[in-house]
Amino acid sequence: MNRSAFLAPRGAAILLAAALGTTSVVLPGAPSYAAPPAQQKTQVPGYHRLMVGDMEVTALFDGRIEIDRALLKGAGQEDIQRLLARMFLDGSQGVQTAVNAYLVHTGSNLVLVDAGVANAFGPGLGFIPENLRAAGYDPADVDTVLLTHLHADHSMGLLASGGGMAFPNATVHAPEAEAGFWLDEAKAAGAPEAMQPFFKMARDSIAPYVQAGRFKTFAPGESLVPGVSAVPAHGHTPGHTGYLFGSGDDTLLVWGDIVHSHATQFARPEIAIEFDTDSAQAIATRKAIFADAAERKLLVGGAHLPFPGLGHVRAESEGYAWVPVEFGLTATGR
Ligand SMILES: [Zn+2]
């Protein structure tokens, strides 16, 4: 087919309209259309499901926050801007950052890793209960919540909108080192004023579970639920921890906040974020986990990776790259 064939009849109409100095010409015999329906402008439910061996993994979208690029450090602002631009991100108005949680049906337990932020950070977040229901479960079905750490965007979603437990039948587990930091009243009292709300939110988020005797801390190496083990990943916070589900080829690592800025930190793992408790340790942990995930070809779930935040880490000649999973027709991906 030659190029002129592509022009007719629409192309011809445009040329004719240009020649006549008007914006539209109705060609004789051109099909006429009824007015289209209104645009929907809604989004699909925020969940994405896949099977990992016998485990059913459902990524849940809590919403989005904007991260100020000035919070990224460890490289010059020009470098950071260049890395953002390479991913078609502007960055001048903040960088869109997802907040994800992961619901894993292990066969014996329904486990939620992290709980989102509820309404603590404004109206753009707090959609985990809604998306969990859309995914076919009820918050009351969750028997175990594992917290990667006690920052509000992972723990405030433990609270129902009227206070009380959003997951009324769940036991909440947090790493001992994490609880020892955020729940220690002396540490809270001695923290800079800007940090005070974070200590308070950590305490508030677990309060009803503590009261019900359903908040538990664990030491490294302690068993949690069958088929799940904790992976210490300290640095972002003192007890920050990932969770490894399954074994062998059927493994998922939910790594929490190893990455906040996919556009910059895969290429340059030494880029840190202002609110790391210990940047140097967070960077060392990120490098170690990237190397391990790439080497073992681990399926990863990340709390702040573009939703659904599931994929693999690929080693590049310098740095790493993120390879997201592809949407599948069924949960098995086929
Ligand atoms: Zn976070």
Side-chain angles (χ1 to χ4, degrees):
M1 189 181 286
N2 64 28
R3 188 164 179 275
S4 62
F6 279 110
L7 283 172
R10 184 171 151 70
I14 291 167
L15 292 176
L16 185 58
L20 294 175
T22 98
T23 53
S24 69
V25 166
V26 177
L27 290 179
S32 64
Y33 297 101
Q39 293 176 343
Q40 299 300 304
K41 296 186 178 170
T42 52
Q43 185 53 286
V44 295
Y47 76 90
H48 180 113
R49 178 166 287 152
L50 51 81
M51 296 299 291
V52 178
D54 292 335
M55 298 181 298
E56 181 202 68
V57 176
T58 308
L60 299 172
F61 187 58
D62 193 48
R64 56 179 274 178
I65 44 179
E66 304 294 324
I67 288 190
D68 188 334
R69 68 182 171 197
L71 293 171
L72 300 170
K73 54 189 195 178
Q77 277 302 310
E78 256 178 39
D79 264 10
I80 286 171
Q81 188 49 41
R82 186 182 52 77
L83 288 163
L84 292 173
R86 211 171 136 246
M87 299 297 274
F88 302 92
L89 295 168
D90 170 9
S92 62
Q93 305 293 316
V95 181
Q96 173 175 334
T97 306
V99 176
N100 308 321
Y102 295 90
L103 184 71
V104 184
H105 194 315
T106 65
S108 54
N109 291 85
L110 188 62
V111 181
L112 179 66
V113 182
D114 291 333
V117 68
N119 59 4
F121 287 1
L125 298 121
F127 297 99
I128 280 176
E130 182 180 320
N131 288 325
L132 189 146
R133 285 191 181 92
Y137 293 103
D138 188 275
D141 297 334
V142 175
D143 60 66
T144 305
V145 178
L146 303 175
L147 296 174
T148 58
H149 60 303
L150 276 165
H151 274 166
D153 53 317
H154 302 255
S155 71
M156 281 301 276
L158 289 170
L159 295 178
S161 52
M165 295 184 277
F167 303 97
N169 296 314
T171 298
V172 176
H173 300 260
E176 198 174 67
E178 193 64 8
F181 181 77
W182 295 104
L183 307 179
D184 182 319
E185 289 191 12
K187 282 200 175 68
E193 205 175 318
M195 290 293 290
Q196 299 285 339
F198 294 94
F199 281 90
K200 181 176 179 334
M201 286 190 283
R203 255 196 326 271
D204 289 352
S205 64
I206 58 153
Y209 299 87
V210 172
Q211 206 174 10
R214 290 225 234 98
F215 177 74
K216 290 197 161 54
T217 61
F218 61 87
E222 216 172 292
S223 62
L224 299 164
V225 289
V228 186
S229 54
V231 179
H234 305 172
H236 175 55
T237 58
H240 183 272
T241 295
Y243 296 97
L244 195 67
F245 289 80
S247 60
D249 288 344
D250 298 328
T251 302
L252 167 72
L253 172 65
V254 182
W255 75 16
D257 283 19
I258 291 299
V259 171
H260 293 87
S261 167
H262 69 97
T264 64
Q265 289 176 307
F266 281 106
R268 302 271 297 272
E270 72 277 15
I271 292 178
I273 193 147
E274 185 63 34
F275 37 81
D276 286 335
T277 307
D278 180 339
S279 287
Q281 195 180 7
I283 291 165
T285 295
R286 181 161 40 255
K287 288 179 174 173
I289 288 194
F290 279 0
D292 187 46
E295 165 77 24
R296 292 165 66 195
K297 300 182 166 57
L298 286 177
L299 177 68
V300 165
H304 300 303
L305 295 172
F307 183 76
L310 291 165
H312 292 87
V313 179
R314 184 181 63 218
E316 301 281 48
S317 54
E318 272 181 55
Y320 295 85
W322 174 241
V323 184
V325 295
E326 193 166 341
F327 189 78
L329 189 59
T330 68
T332 57
R334 292 183 195 92

PDB file of all heavy atoms in Angstrom, residues 65 99 148-149 151 153-154 236 256-257 260 275 303-304, ligand 1:
ATOM      1  N   ILE A  65       2.278   8.951  46.942  1.00  0.00           N
ATOM      2  CA  ILE A  65       2.773  10.183  47.558  1.00  0.00           C
ATOM      3  C   ILE A  65       3.739  10.832  46.579  1.00  0.00           C
ATOM      4  O   ILE A  65       4.237  10.172  45.658  1.00  0.00           O
ATOM      5  CB  ILE A  65       3.490   9.914  48.918  1.00  0.00           C
ATOM      6  CG1 ILE A  65       4.418   8.699  48.828  1.00  0.00           C
ATOM      7  CG2 ILE A  65       2.507   9.740  50.038  1.00  0.00           C
ATOM      8  CD1 ILE A  65       5.147   8.412  50.124  1.00  0.00           C
ATOM      9  N   VAL A  99       2.621   3.550  47.142  1.00  0.00           N
ATOM     10  CA  VAL A  99       2.667   2.865  48.437  1.00  0.00           C
ATOM     11  C   VAL A  99       1.929   1.533  48.235  1.00  0.00           C
ATOM     12  O   VAL A  99       0.727   1.514  47.952  1.00  0.00           O
ATOM     13  CB  VAL A  99       2.001   3.693  49.551  1.00  0.00           C
ATOM     14  CG1 VAL A  99       1.979   2.914  50.869  1.00  0.00           C
ATOM     15  CG2 VAL A  99       2.746   5.020  49.740  1.00  0.00           C
ATOM     16  N   THR A 148       7.313  -4.367  57.842  1.00  0.00           N
ATOM     17  CA  THR A 148       8.735  -4.241  57.480  1.00  0.00           C
ATOM     18  C   THR A 148       9.408  -3.235  58.409  1.00  0.00           C
ATOM     19  O   THR A 148      10.578  -3.357  58.726  1.00  0.00           O
ATOM     20  CB  THR A 148       8.917  -3.788  56.024  1.00  0.00           C
ATOM     21  OG1 THR A 148       8.241  -2.527  55.821  1.00  0.00           O
ATOM     22  CG2 THR A 148       8.357  -4.827  55.059  1.00  0.00           C
ATOM     23  N   HIS A 149       8.642  -2.219  58.802  1.00  0.00           N
ATOM     24  CA  HIS A 149       9.131  -1.237  59.776  1.00  0.00           C
ATOM     25  C   HIS A 149       7.949  -0.405  60.244  1.00  0.00           C
ATOM     26  O   HIS A 149       6.820  -0.588  59.764  1.00  0.00           O
ATOM     27  CB  HIS A 149      10.264  -0.385  59.190  1.00  0.00           C
ATOM     28  CG  HIS A 149       9.939   0.417  57.975  1.00  0.00           C
ATOM     29  ND1 HIS A 149       9.458  -0.133  56.808  1.00  0.00           N
ATOM     30  CD2 HIS A 149      10.031   1.755  57.735  1.00  0.00           C
ATOM     31  CE1 HIS A 149       9.283   0.812  55.908  1.00  0.00           C
ATOM     32  NE2 HIS A 149       9.609   1.983  56.445  1.00  0.00           N
ATOM     33  N   HIS A 151       7.347   2.939  60.109  1.00  0.00           N
ATOM     34  CA  HIS A 151       6.992   4.239  59.528  1.00  0.00           C
ATOM     35  C   HIS A 151       5.492   4.256  59.235  1.00  0.00           C
ATOM     36  O   HIS A 151       4.904   3.222  58.904  1.00  0.00           O
ATOM     37  CB  HIS A 151       7.774   4.487  58.226  1.00  0.00           C
ATOM     38  CG  HIS A 151       9.133   5.099  58.445  1.00  0.00           C
ATOM     39  ND1 HIS A 151      10.101   5.134  57.460  1.00  0.00           N
ATOM     40  CD2 HIS A 151       9.667   5.723  59.527  1.00  0.00           C
ATOM     41  CE1 HIS A 151      11.176   5.747  57.935  1.00  0.00           C
ATOM     42  NE2 HIS A 151      10.946   6.114  59.181  1.00  0.00           N
ATOM     43  N   ASP A 153       3.653   5.149  56.782  1.00  0.00           N
ATOM     44  CA  ASP A 153       3.099   4.683  55.504  1.00  0.00           C
ATOM     45  C   ASP A 153       3.034   3.157  55.427  1.00  0.00           C
ATOM     46  O   ASP A 153       2.557   2.603  54.422  1.00  0.00           O
ATOM     47  CB  ASP A 153       3.874   5.269  54.313  1.00  0.00           C
ATOM     48  CG  ASP A 153       5.364   5.031  54.392  1.00  0.00           C
ATOM     49  OD1 ASP A 153       5.936   5.195  55.491  1.00  0.00           O
ATOM     50  OD2 ASP A 153       5.961   4.669  53.360  1.00  0.00           O
ATOM     51  N   HIS A 154       3.485   2.495  56.477  1.00  0.00           N
ATOM     52  CA  HIS A 154       3.400   1.032  56.542  1.00  0.00           C
ATOM     53  C   HIS A 154       2.519   0.569  57.698  1.00  0.00           C
ATOM     54  O   HIS A 154       2.032  -0.553  57.673  1.00  0.00           O
ATOM     55  CB  HIS A 154       4.802   0.423  56.689  1.00  0.00           C
ATOM     56  CG  HIS A 154       5.703   0.821  55.575  1.00  0.00           C
ATOM     57  ND1 HIS A 154       6.040  -0.027  54.553  1.00  0.00           N
ATOM     58  CD2 HIS A 154       6.278   2.018  55.279  1.00  0.00           C
ATOM     59  CE1 HIS A 154       6.802   0.621  53.685  1.00  0.00           C
ATOM     60  NE2 HIS A 154       6.960   1.869  54.107  1.00  0.00           N
ATOM     61  N   HIS A 236      17.415   1.797  56.721  1.00  0.00           N
ATOM     62  CA  HIS A 236      16.336   2.772  56.506  1.00  0.00           C
ATOM     63  C   HIS A 236      15.722   3.126  57.863  1.00  0.00           C
ATOM     64  O   HIS A 236      15.452   4.283  58.153  1.00  0.00           O
ATOM     65  CB  HIS A 236      15.302   2.206  55.542  1.00  0.00           C
ATOM     66  CG  HIS A 236      14.117   3.101  55.366  1.00  0.00           C
ATOM     67  ND1 HIS A 236      14.235   4.418  54.978  1.00  0.00           N
ATOM     68  CD2 HIS A 236      12.789   2.894  55.550  1.00  0.00           C
ATOM     69  CE1 HIS A 236      13.031   4.983  54.932  1.00  0.00           C
ATOM     70  NE2 HIS A 236      12.145   4.072  55.279  1.00  0.00           N
ATOM     71  N   GLY A 256      10.196  -4.237  51.486  1.00  0.00           N
ATOM     72  CA  GLY A 256       9.900  -2.977  52.172  1.00  0.00           C
ATOM     73  C   GLY A 256      10.496  -1.786  51.456  1.00  0.00           C
ATOM     74  O   GLY A 256      10.294  -1.595  50.254  1.00  0.00           O
ATOM     75  N   ASP A 257      11.302  -0.987  52.175  1.00  0.00           N
ATOM     76  CA  ASP A 257      11.785   0.296  51.661  1.00  0.00           C
ATOM     77  C   ASP A 257      13.245   0.259  51.225  1.00  0.00           C
ATOM     78  O   ASP A 257      13.992   1.197  51.460  1.00  0.00           O
ATOM     79  CB  ASP A 257      11.583   1.375  52.726  1.00  0.00           C
ATOM     80  CG  ASP A 257      10.141   1.831  52.801  1.00  0.00           C
ATOM     81  OD1 ASP A 257       9.261   1.095  52.310  1.00  0.00           O
ATOM     82  OD2 ASP A 257       9.883   2.906  53.361  1.00  0.00           O
ATOM     83  N   HIS A 260      13.202   3.786  47.357  1.00  0.00           N
ATOM     84  CA  HIS A 260      12.143   4.796  47.352  1.00  0.00           C
ATOM     85  C   HIS A 260      12.041   5.465  45.990  1.00  0.00           C
ATOM     86  O   HIS A 260      11.021   6.050  45.654  1.00  0.00           O
ATOM     87  CB  HIS A 260      12.418   5.888  48.400  1.00  0.00           C
ATOM     88  CG  HIS A 260      12.327   5.396  49.805  1.00  0.00           C
ATOM     89  ND1 HIS A 260      13.390   4.839  50.474  1.00  0.00           N
ATOM     90  CD2 HIS A 260      11.276   5.352  50.667  1.00  0.00           C
ATOM     91  CE1 HIS A 260      13.016   4.473  51.687  1.00  0.00           C
ATOM     92  NE2 HIS A 260      11.734   4.771  51.835  1.00  0.00           N
ATOM     93  N   PHE A 275      15.075  10.545  54.829  1.00  0.00           N
ATOM     94  CA  PHE A 275      14.519   9.975  56.065  1.00  0.00           C
ATOM     95  C   PHE A 275      15.016   8.576  56.416  1.00  0.00           C
ATOM     96  O   PHE A 275      14.420   7.894  57.231  1.00  0.00           O
ATOM     97  CB  PHE A 275      12.984  10.070  56.110  1.00  0.00           C
ATOM     98  CG  PHE A 275      12.278   9.863  54.808  1.00  0.00           C
ATOM     99  CD1 PHE A 275      12.050   8.590  54.322  1.00  0.00           C
ATOM    100  CD2 PHE A 275      11.841  10.957  54.073  1.00  0.00           C
ATOM    101  CE1 PHE A 275      11.379   8.403  53.122  1.00  0.00           C
ATOM    102  CE2 PHE A 275      11.171  10.775  52.868  1.00  0.00           C
ATOM    103  CZ  PHE A 275      10.945   9.507  52.395  1.00  0.00           C
ATOM    104  N   ALA A 303       7.686  -1.866  48.471  1.00  0.00           N
ATOM    105  CA  ALA A 303       6.620  -0.978  48.946  1.00  0.00           C
ATOM    106  C   ALA A 303       6.523   0.319  48.149  1.00  0.00           C
ATOM    107  O   ALA A 303       5.453   0.909  48.080  1.00  0.00           O
ATOM    108  CB  ALA A 303       6.834  -0.658  50.428  1.00  0.00           C
ATOM    109  N   HIS A 304       7.635   0.777  47.567  1.00  0.00           N
ATOM    110  CA  HIS A 304       7.589   2.056  46.864  1.00  0.00           C
ATOM    111  C   HIS A 304       8.033   1.946  45.408  1.00  0.00           C
ATOM    112  O   HIS A 304       8.452   2.928  44.803  1.00  0.00           O
ATOM    113  CB  HIS A 304       8.419   3.101  47.622  1.00  0.00           C
ATOM    114  CG  HIS A 304       7.911   3.327  49.012  1.00  0.00           C
ATOM    115  ND1 HIS A 304       6.610   3.717  49.274  1.00  0.00           N
ATOM    116  CD2 HIS A 304       8.508   3.194  50.227  1.00  0.00           C
ATOM    117  CE1 HIS A 304       6.440   3.816  50.590  1.00  0.00           C
ATOM    118  NE2 HIS A 304       7.569   3.491  51.190  1.00  0.00           N
TER     119      HIS A 304
HETATM  120 ZN    ZN B   1       7.872   3.602  53.262  1.00  0.00          ZN
END
